[in-house]
Amino acid sequence: MYDKLNFTIKENPVILGIESSCDETAAAVIRGRKLLSSVIISSAEEQAKYGGVVPEIASRAHTDAVDEAVIRAVKEAGVSFKELDAVAVTYGAGLLGALLVGLSFAKSLAYSLNIPLIGVNHIRGHLAAAYLCDGELKPPYVTLLASGGHTAILHTKTYTRFEVLGSTCDDAAGEAFDKVARILGLPYPGGPNVQRLAENGNANIQLPQALVKNSDRMQFSYSGLKTAVMNYCHNAGQRGEKINPADVAASFQVSALEPLVRKTVECAKKLGADTVTAGGGVAANGYLRARLFEECKKANLKLILPEKKYCTDNAAMIAAEGLIQYREGNFASLDLNACAQIPLNNI
Protein backbone atom coordinates (compact mmCIF):
# COMPACT_ATOMS: atom_id res chain seq x y z
CA MET A 1 0.00 0.00 0.00
CA TYR A 2 1.30 3.47 -0.96
CA ASP A 3 1.55 5.55 2.23
CA LYS A 4 2.98 9.04 1.90
CA LEU A 5 3.44 9.24 5.69
CA ASN A 6 5.62 6.15 5.91
CA PHE A 7 8.77 7.18 4.04
CA THR A 8 12.25 7.56 5.52
CA ILE A 9 14.03 10.86 4.87
CA LYS A 10 17.60 10.49 3.55
CA GLU A 11 20.34 13.12 3.79
CA ASN A 12 21.26 13.15 0.07
CA PRO A 13 18.38 11.49 -1.77
CA VAL A 14 18.38 10.62 -5.44
CA ILE A 15 15.43 12.52 -6.90
CA LEU A 16 13.95 12.33 -10.39
CA GLY A 17 12.37 15.55 -11.61
CA ILE A 18 9.74 15.69 -14.37
CA GLU A 19 8.56 18.87 -16.10
CA SER A 20 5.77 19.12 -18.71
CA SER A 21 4.02 22.44 -18.08
CA CYS A 22 4.34 23.88 -21.59
CA ASP A 23 6.26 22.74 -24.68
CA GLU A 24 9.31 21.15 -23.06
CA THR A 25 9.22 17.52 -21.92
CA ALA A 26 12.04 17.30 -19.41
CA ALA A 27 13.50 14.87 -16.89
CA ALA A 28 16.50 15.24 -14.59
CA VAL A 29 18.15 13.39 -11.72
CA ILE A 30 19.94 14.90 -8.73
CA ARG A 31 21.73 13.41 -5.73
CA GLY A 32 21.48 15.97 -2.98
CA ARG A 33 22.32 19.25 -4.71
CA LYS A 34 24.48 17.54 -7.32
CA LEU A 35 22.92 17.41 -10.78
CA LEU A 36 23.51 14.01 -12.38
CA SER A 37 21.57 14.41 -15.62
CA SER A 38 19.19 16.72 -17.46
CA VAL A 39 17.21 15.82 -20.59
CA ILE A 40 14.91 18.14 -22.54
CA ILE A 41 12.80 17.14 -25.54
CA SER A 42 11.17 20.22 -27.02
CA SER A 43 8.21 20.62 -29.34
CA ALA A 44 9.07 24.30 -29.92
CA GLU A 45 9.93 23.72 -33.58
CA GLU A 46 6.48 22.25 -34.19
CA GLN A 47 4.81 25.05 -32.19
CA ALA A 48 6.67 27.69 -34.22
CA LYS A 49 4.62 26.72 -37.29
CA TYR A 50 1.58 28.17 -35.52
CA GLY A 51 3.27 31.23 -34.01
CA GLY A 52 2.98 29.98 -30.43
CA VAL A 53 2.14 27.04 -28.23
CA VAL A 54 -0.93 25.00 -29.23
CA PRO A 55 -2.05 23.15 -26.07
CA GLU A 56 -3.31 20.02 -27.88
CA ILE A 57 -0.07 19.67 -29.85
CA ALA A 58 1.96 20.19 -26.68
CA SER A 59 0.00 17.51 -24.80
CA ARG A 60 0.45 14.98 -27.59
CA ALA A 61 4.16 15.75 -27.78
CA HIS A 62 4.53 15.17 -24.03
CA THR A 63 2.72 11.86 -24.32
CA ASP A 64 5.16 10.74 -27.01
CA ALA A 65 8.29 12.02 -25.24
CA VAL A 66 7.88 11.58 -21.47
CA ASP A 67 8.89 7.92 -21.35
CA GLU A 68 12.01 8.55 -23.45
CA ALA A 69 13.01 11.60 -21.44
CA VAL A 70 12.77 9.77 -18.11
CA ILE A 71 14.62 6.67 -19.31
CA ARG A 72 17.41 8.79 -20.77
CA ALA A 73 17.72 10.91 -17.63
CA VAL A 74 18.01 7.87 -15.36
CA LYS A 75 20.50 6.18 -17.67
CA GLU A 76 22.67 9.30 -18.08
CA ALA A 77 22.67 9.78 -14.31
CA GLY A 78 24.27 6.36 -13.90
CA VAL A 79 21.61 5.14 -11.52
CA SER A 80 18.83 2.57 -11.70
CA PHE A 81 15.15 3.18 -11.12
CA LYS A 82 15.45 1.18 -7.88
CA GLU A 83 17.95 3.76 -6.58
CA LEU A 84 15.46 6.63 -6.87
CA ASP A 85 14.29 7.99 -3.52
CA ALA A 86 11.52 10.27 -4.80
CA VAL A 87 9.80 11.59 -7.92
CA ALA A 88 9.24 15.36 -8.12
CA VAL A 89 6.85 16.63 -10.79
CA THR A 90 5.33 19.94 -11.84
CA TYR A 91 1.64 19.99 -10.94
CA GLY A 92 1.07 23.66 -11.84
CA ALA A 93 0.96 26.23 -13.19
CA GLY A 94 0.82 25.58 -16.93
CA LEU A 95 -1.24 24.03 -19.70
CA LEU A 96 -3.64 21.64 -18.01
CA GLY A 97 -3.38 18.82 -20.54
CA ALA A 98 0.39 19.08 -20.66
CA LEU A 99 0.66 19.03 -16.86
CA LEU A 100 -1.54 15.94 -16.63
CA VAL A 101 0.82 13.95 -18.86
CA GLY A 102 3.84 14.48 -16.61
CA LEU A 103 1.82 14.20 -13.40
CA SER A 104 0.18 10.93 -14.44
CA PHE A 105 3.52 9.43 -15.41
CA ALA A 106 5.10 10.55 -12.11
CA LYS A 107 2.25 9.08 -10.06
CA SER A 108 2.54 5.73 -11.79
CA LEU A 109 6.30 5.63 -11.34
CA ALA A 110 6.20 6.65 -7.68
CA TYR A 111 3.52 4.06 -6.97
CA SER A 112 5.36 1.27 -8.78
CA LEU A 113 8.61 2.01 -6.93
CA ASN A 114 6.84 2.79 -3.63
CA ILE A 115 8.74 6.08 -3.23
CA PRO A 116 7.45 9.56 -2.38
CA LEU A 117 5.65 11.70 -4.94
CA ILE A 118 6.46 15.41 -4.62
CA GLY A 119 4.24 18.00 -6.30
CA VAL A 120 6.22 21.06 -7.37
CA ASN A 121 4.96 24.56 -8.10
CA HIS A 122 6.58 25.55 -11.40
CA ILE A 123 7.47 29.03 -10.09
CA ARG A 124 9.18 27.57 -7.02
CA GLY A 125 11.15 25.46 -9.46
CA HIS A 126 12.45 28.56 -11.22
CA LEU A 127 13.45 30.02 -7.85
CA ALA A 128 15.21 26.81 -6.81
CA ALA A 129 17.37 26.71 -9.95
CA ALA A 130 19.94 28.90 -8.19
CA TYR A 131 20.72 26.08 -5.75
CA LEU A 132 22.04 24.00 -8.65
CA CYS A 133 24.83 26.43 -9.45
CA ASP A 134 25.91 27.26 -5.89
CA GLY A 135 26.03 24.41 -3.41
CA GLU A 136 26.56 26.86 -0.54
CA LEU A 137 23.61 29.15 -1.27
CA LYS A 138 21.37 29.67 1.75
CA PRO A 139 18.53 32.13 2.45
CA PRO A 140 17.93 34.93 3.08
CA TYR A 141 18.53 36.71 -0.22
CA VAL A 142 16.66 38.70 -2.88
CA THR A 143 15.37 36.99 -6.02
CA LEU A 144 14.33 38.44 -9.36
CA LEU A 145 11.68 36.26 -10.96
CA ALA A 146 11.20 37.01 -14.66
CA SER A 147 9.28 34.44 -16.68
CA GLY A 148 6.57 34.15 -19.30
CA GLY A 149 3.83 34.24 -16.69
CA HIS A 150 5.29 36.10 -13.72
CA THR A 151 7.52 39.09 -13.03
CA ALA A 152 8.36 39.88 -9.43
CA ILE A 153 11.06 40.68 -6.91
CA LEU A 154 10.96 38.45 -3.85
CA HIS A 155 12.64 38.29 -0.49
CA THR A 156 13.58 34.64 -0.07
CA LYS A 157 13.45 34.41 3.72
CA THR A 158 13.87 30.66 4.13
CA TYR A 159 13.96 27.70 1.78
CA THR A 160 10.15 27.62 1.82
CA ARG A 161 9.07 31.18 2.73
CA PHE A 162 8.96 34.09 0.29
CA GLU A 163 7.74 37.68 0.50
CA VAL A 164 6.68 39.41 -2.70
CA LEU A 165 8.30 42.86 -2.65
CA GLY A 166 6.95 43.97 -6.02
CA SER A 167 5.31 42.45 -9.08
CA THR A 168 3.74 43.23 -12.43
CA CYS A 169 0.18 44.50 -12.47
CA ASP A 170 -0.53 43.28 -16.01
CA ASP A 171 1.68 41.43 -18.50
CA ALA A 172 4.79 39.57 -17.40
CA ALA A 173 8.16 40.41 -18.96
CA GLY A 174 8.19 37.18 -20.98
CA GLU A 175 4.71 37.90 -22.36
CA ALA A 176 5.83 41.36 -23.44
CA PHE A 177 8.83 39.94 -25.28
CA ASP A 178 6.57 37.50 -27.14
CA LYS A 179 4.10 40.23 -28.09
CA VAL A 180 6.81 42.61 -29.30
CA ALA A 181 8.31 39.76 -31.30
CA ARG A 182 4.99 39.37 -33.13
CA ILE A 183 4.82 43.12 -33.77
CA LEU A 184 8.27 42.94 -35.35
CA GLY A 185 7.41 39.83 -37.36
CA LEU A 186 9.81 37.58 -35.46
CA PRO A 187 9.15 33.84 -35.10
CA TYR A 188 8.32 31.92 -31.93
CA PRO A 189 9.83 31.80 -29.34
CA GLY A 190 9.84 35.59 -29.09
CA GLY A 191 12.27 36.27 -26.25
CA PRO A 192 15.48 34.85 -27.76
CA ASN A 193 14.67 36.33 -31.17
CA VAL A 194 14.09 39.83 -29.77
CA GLN A 195 17.39 39.60 -27.93
CA ARG A 196 19.28 38.51 -31.05
CA LEU A 197 17.76 41.35 -33.06
CA ALA A 198 18.52 43.88 -30.30
CA GLU A 199 22.20 42.98 -30.38
CA ASN A 200 22.44 44.72 -33.77
CA GLY A 201 20.48 47.81 -32.76
CA ASN A 202 20.76 51.00 -30.74
CA ALA A 203 18.41 51.90 -27.90
CA ASN A 204 17.66 55.32 -29.39
CA ILE A 205 13.85 55.25 -29.36
CA GLN A 206 12.03 56.88 -26.47
CA LEU A 207 9.75 54.30 -24.85
CA PRO A 208 8.09 54.23 -21.40
CA GLN A 209 9.85 52.36 -18.62
CA ALA A 210 8.08 49.24 -17.35
CA LEU A 211 7.65 50.69 -13.87
CA VAL A 212 4.51 52.15 -12.31
CA LYS A 213 5.37 55.50 -10.72
CA ASN A 214 3.58 57.15 -7.80
CA SER A 215 2.35 53.80 -6.51
CA ASP A 216 2.09 52.81 -2.85
CA ARG A 217 3.94 49.60 -3.65
CA MET A 218 6.52 48.64 -6.22
CA GLN A 219 4.74 47.59 -9.41
CA PHE A 220 5.84 46.87 -12.94
CA SER A 221 3.67 47.31 -16.02
CA TYR A 222 4.37 45.97 -19.50
CA SER A 223 1.02 46.67 -21.15
CA GLY A 224 1.83 50.32 -21.86
CA LEU A 225 5.32 49.50 -23.10
CA LYS A 226 3.96 46.89 -25.52
CA THR A 227 1.36 49.38 -26.77
CA ALA A 228 4.04 52.06 -27.21
CA VAL A 229 6.06 49.73 -29.45
CA MET A 230 2.95 48.90 -31.46
CA ASN A 231 2.05 52.58 -31.87
CA TYR A 232 5.60 53.51 -32.87
CA CYS A 233 5.66 50.90 -35.63
CA HIS A 234 2.09 51.65 -36.76
CA ASN A 235 2.57 55.43 -36.87
CA ALA A 236 5.81 55.11 -38.81
CA GLY A 237 4.03 52.90 -41.32
CA GLN A 238 1.19 55.43 -41.67
CA ARG A 239 3.74 58.13 -42.47
CA GLY A 240 5.44 55.89 -45.00
CA GLU A 241 8.62 55.79 -42.92
CA LYS A 242 10.81 52.76 -42.54
CA ILE A 243 11.65 51.61 -39.04
CA ASN A 244 14.85 49.93 -37.92
CA PRO A 245 13.56 46.74 -36.23
CA ALA A 246 16.89 46.23 -34.42
CA ASP A 247 16.64 49.69 -32.85
CA VAL A 248 13.04 48.99 -31.79
CA ALA A 249 14.10 45.68 -30.21
CA ALA A 250 17.06 47.27 -28.40
CA SER A 251 14.96 50.18 -27.12
CA PHE A 252 12.21 47.85 -25.93
CA GLN A 253 14.72 45.57 -24.19
CA VAL A 254 16.22 48.48 -22.23
CA SER A 255 12.81 49.82 -21.18
CA ALA A 256 11.61 46.34 -20.19
CA LEU A 257 14.63 45.18 -18.22
CA GLU A 258 16.36 48.20 -16.70
CA PRO A 259 13.63 48.73 -14.06
CA LEU A 260 13.98 45.09 -12.99
CA VAL A 261 17.72 45.43 -12.54
CA ARG A 262 17.51 48.74 -10.71
CA LYS A 263 14.73 47.72 -8.33
CA THR A 264 16.24 44.31 -7.56
CA VAL A 265 19.49 45.91 -6.44
CA GLU A 266 17.61 48.61 -4.51
CA CYS A 267 15.60 45.96 -2.65
CA ALA A 268 18.72 44.00 -1.74
CA LYS A 269 20.43 47.11 -0.36
CA LYS A 270 17.34 48.20 1.55
CA LEU A 271 16.96 44.77 3.19
CA GLY A 272 20.66 44.47 3.94
CA ALA A 273 20.91 41.32 1.82
CA ASP A 274 24.31 40.34 0.48
CA THR A 275 23.11 38.01 -2.30
CA VAL A 276 20.89 38.33 -5.37
CA THR A 277 19.60 35.49 -7.52
CA ALA A 278 17.43 35.38 -10.63
CA GLY A 279 15.19 32.78 -12.23
CA GLY A 280 12.70 32.30 -15.05
CA GLY A 281 13.03 32.27 -18.81
CA VAL A 282 13.78 35.99 -19.11
CA ALA A 283 16.76 35.47 -16.76
CA ALA A 284 18.42 33.79 -19.75
CA ASN A 285 18.43 37.15 -21.56
CA GLY A 286 22.03 38.23 -22.17
CA TYR A 287 21.36 41.94 -21.63
CA LEU A 288 19.61 41.31 -18.30
CA ARG A 289 22.41 39.03 -17.09
CA ALA A 290 25.11 41.53 -18.02
CA ARG A 291 23.31 44.45 -16.35
CA LEU A 292 22.64 42.45 -13.17
CA PHE A 293 26.32 41.55 -13.02
CA GLU A 294 27.37 45.19 -13.46
CA GLU A 295 24.97 46.64 -10.89
CA CYS A 296 25.50 43.91 -8.29
CA LYS A 297 29.25 44.39 -8.60
CA LYS A 298 28.87 48.14 -8.01
CA ALA A 299 26.70 47.45 -4.95
CA ASN A 300 29.07 44.77 -3.62
CA LEU A 301 26.38 42.12 -3.89
CA LYS A 302 27.01 38.48 -4.70
CA LEU A 303 25.08 37.49 -7.83
CA ILE A 304 24.05 33.89 -8.45
CA LEU A 305 22.70 33.24 -11.93
CA PRO A 306 21.72 29.75 -13.06
CA GLU A 307 23.08 28.69 -16.43
CA LYS A 308 20.80 29.83 -19.23
CA LYS A 309 19.56 26.31 -19.88
CA TYR A 310 18.33 26.13 -16.28
CA CYS A 311 16.46 29.44 -16.53
CA THR A 312 14.11 28.24 -19.24
CA ASP A 313 11.78 25.32 -18.50
CA ASN A 314 13.71 22.25 -17.37
CA ALA A 315 13.40 19.36 -14.92
CA ALA A 316 16.62 20.06 -13.02
CA MET A 317 14.94 23.00 -11.27
CA ILE A 318 11.93 20.80 -10.48
CA ALA A 319 14.22 18.24 -8.87
CA ALA A 320 15.98 21.03 -6.94
CA GLU A 321 12.69 22.25 -5.49
CA GLY A 322 11.74 18.62 -4.95
CA LEU A 323 14.78 18.27 -2.69
CA ILE A 324 13.58 21.18 -0.56
CA GLN A 325 10.12 19.68 -0.20
CA TYR A 326 11.59 16.21 0.40
CA ARG A 327 13.60 17.47 3.36
CA GLU A 328 10.44 19.11 4.71
CA GLY A 329 8.55 15.83 4.34
CA ASN A 330 6.02 17.49 2.03
CA PHE A 331 4.94 14.43 0.08
CA ALA A 332 1.86 14.34 -2.13
CA SER A 333 -0.83 11.72 -2.25
CA LEU A 334 -1.71 9.94 -5.48
CA ASP A 335 -4.88 12.01 -5.87
CA LEU A 336 -2.82 15.17 -6.50
CA ASN A 337 -4.41 17.05 -9.39
CA ALA A 338 -2.95 19.41 -11.96
CA CYS A 339 -3.57 23.13 -11.55
CA ALA A 340 -3.52 25.48 -14.53
CA GLN A 341 -3.10 28.63 -12.47
CA ILE A 342 -1.38 29.29 -9.13
CA PRO A 343 -1.39 32.90 -7.86
CA LEU A 344 2.03 34.34 -7.10
CA ASN A 345 1.08 34.95 -3.47
CA ASN A 346 0.49 31.20 -3.09
CA ILE A 347 3.99 30.11 -3.99
Side-chain angles (χ1 to χ4, degrees), residues 26 36 46 54 58 121 125-126 151 158 163 197 204 272 324 329-330 336:
L36 302 181
E46 181 68 19
V54 180
N121 180 327
H126 278 305
T151 298
T158 70
E163 178 187 358
L197 183 60
N204 53 15
I324 292 172
N330 290 334
L336 175 67

Side-chain angles (χ1 to χ4, degrees), residues 130 133-134 137 141-144 260-261 264-265 268 273-279 283 285-306:
C133 62
D134 189 325
L137 175 62
Y141 52 84
V142 169
T143 299
L144 169 61
L260 299 182
V261 174
T264 298
V265 172
D274 59 10
T275 301
V276 167
T277 73
N285 178 279
Y287 178 86
L288 177 63
R289 295 170 75 89
R291 290 292 296 125
L292 278 172
F293 178 81
E294 291 169 2
E295 294 305 313
C296 285
K297 185 176 181 180
K298 288 180 185 177
N300 198 30
L301 294 168
K302 181 179 180 181
L303 175 64
I304 298 176
L305 283 176

Side-chain angles (χ1 to χ4, degrees), residues 4 9 116-119 160 322 324-332:
K4 71 171 186 172
I9 307 293
L117 173 71
I118 302 170
T160 58
I324 292 172
Q325 299 303 324
Y326 176 92
R327 288 174 171 169
E328 293 288 321
N330 290 334
F331 304 142

Side-chain angles (χ1 to χ4, degrees), residues 21-103:
S21 64
C22 192
D23 58 348
E24 313 284 359
T25 310
V29 177
I30 61 173
R31 178 181 280 113
R33 279 197 184 182
K34 183 179 180 181
L35 180 62
L36 302 181
S37 67
S38 180
V39 173
I40 298 176
I41 301 175
S42 177
S43 64
E45 186 174 334
E46 181 68 19
Q47 309 290 349
K49 298 176 183 177
Y50 306 93
V53 178
V54 180
E56 177 64 21
I57 292 175
S59 298
R60 290 175 183 269
H62 288 308
T63 302
D64 292 339
V66 64
D67 188 57
E68 178 188 347
V70 169
I71 291 173
R72 282 176 51 191
V74 172
K75 183 177 180 180
E76 291 176 15
V79 300
S80 68
F81 280 94
K82 290 183 179 180
E83 293 177 83
L84 297 178
D85 295 307
V87 179
V89 60
T90 306
Y91 75 92
L95 303 174
L96 194 58
L99 289 166
L100 285 169
V101 174
L103 182 57

Side-chain angles (χ1 to χ4, degrees), residues 146 195 279-289 306-309 311-312:
Q195 180 192 325
V282 181
N285 178 279
Y287 178 86
L288 177 63
R289 295 170 75 89
E307 292 182 48
K308 292 183 180 182
K309 61 184 176 182
C311 292
T312 53

Side-chain angles (χ1 to χ4, degrees), residues 110-133:
Y111 180 80
S112 67
L113 296 174
N114 195 34
I115 57 177
L117 173 71
I118 302 170
V120 173
N121 180 327
H122 184 81
I123 295 304
R124 278 185 177 259
H126 278 305
L127 301 178
Y131 294 119
L132 294 172
C133 62

